[in-house]
Amino acid sequence: RGVDPMGDATEPIQSDYVRVKRKKTTIFLFVEQTDTAADLRAKVNLVTKVPTSDIKFFLDRSGELPIDENKTLADLKVENEQELYMIYKKEGTDEWEEIDIATPDGKPADGATS
């Protein structure tokens, strides 16, 4: 038995992803724990072409926990596979839309079951 010639190459690559939800859309983003809200906006912009200044993120579905612009995902304790919620600025105004998450089957998006 010898030393693994690959060294650390056999270690799994640490890459996390988050699910960013808005209305009927879910965007899967690969993220680094050092990413900030600006990094997330830039990644979403690549997919949606929505200006970065018109995108805002929240940690919770009720919109009470906005993502702090100055903190990293690690600082915010965002975990792999976590859902984040996104809203856009209403076109031509300084107002933001409400968080509105729809599910394909029409059931509540909060995971409630009957």
Side-chain angles (χ1 to χ4, degrees):
R1 294 184 193 158
V3 175
D4 181 0
M6 298 296 285
D8 289 334
T10 58
E11 291 296 312
I13 296 171
Q14 273 296 81
S15 72
D16 293 338
Y17 78 90
V18 294
R19 291 174 292 188
V20 178
K21 295 186 147 206
R22 176 184 175 266
K23 299 194 177 198
K24 294 181 180 179
T25 302
T26 301
I27 300 170
F28 291 78
L29 290 181
F30 281 100
V31 296
E32 302 292 330
Q33 285 296 305
T34 54
D35 284 352
T36 63
D39 297 316
L40 293 180
R41 276 196 297 275
K43 291 175 184 188
V44 167
N45 168 265
L46 290 174
V47 175
T48 65
K49 306 302 182 210
V50 172
T52 55
S53 60
D54 292 354
I55 301 170
K56 191 184 284 189
F57 300 102
F58 292 86
L59 293 169
D60 66 321
R61 191 166 181 263
S62 63
E64 294 176 13
L65 298 170
I67 288 188
D68 187 319
E69 295 293 318
N70 302 309
K71 292 187 176 177
T72 66
L73 296 181
D75 293 337
L76 296 165
K77 299 189 177 8
V78 172
E79 298 178 357
N80 186 32
E81 300 183 31
Q82 184 166 333
E83 288 182 350
L84 302 177
Y85 303 93
M86 175 176 63
I87 59 173
Y88 293 159
K89 191 178 282 188
K90 292 180 182 177
E91 197 169 332
T93 73
D94 285 333
E95 296 179 25
W96 293 91
E97 64 188 19
E98 298 288 320
I99 293 177
D100 178 20
I101 308 300
T103 58
D105 59 8
K107 293 181 181 173
D110 60 8
T113 56
S114 49

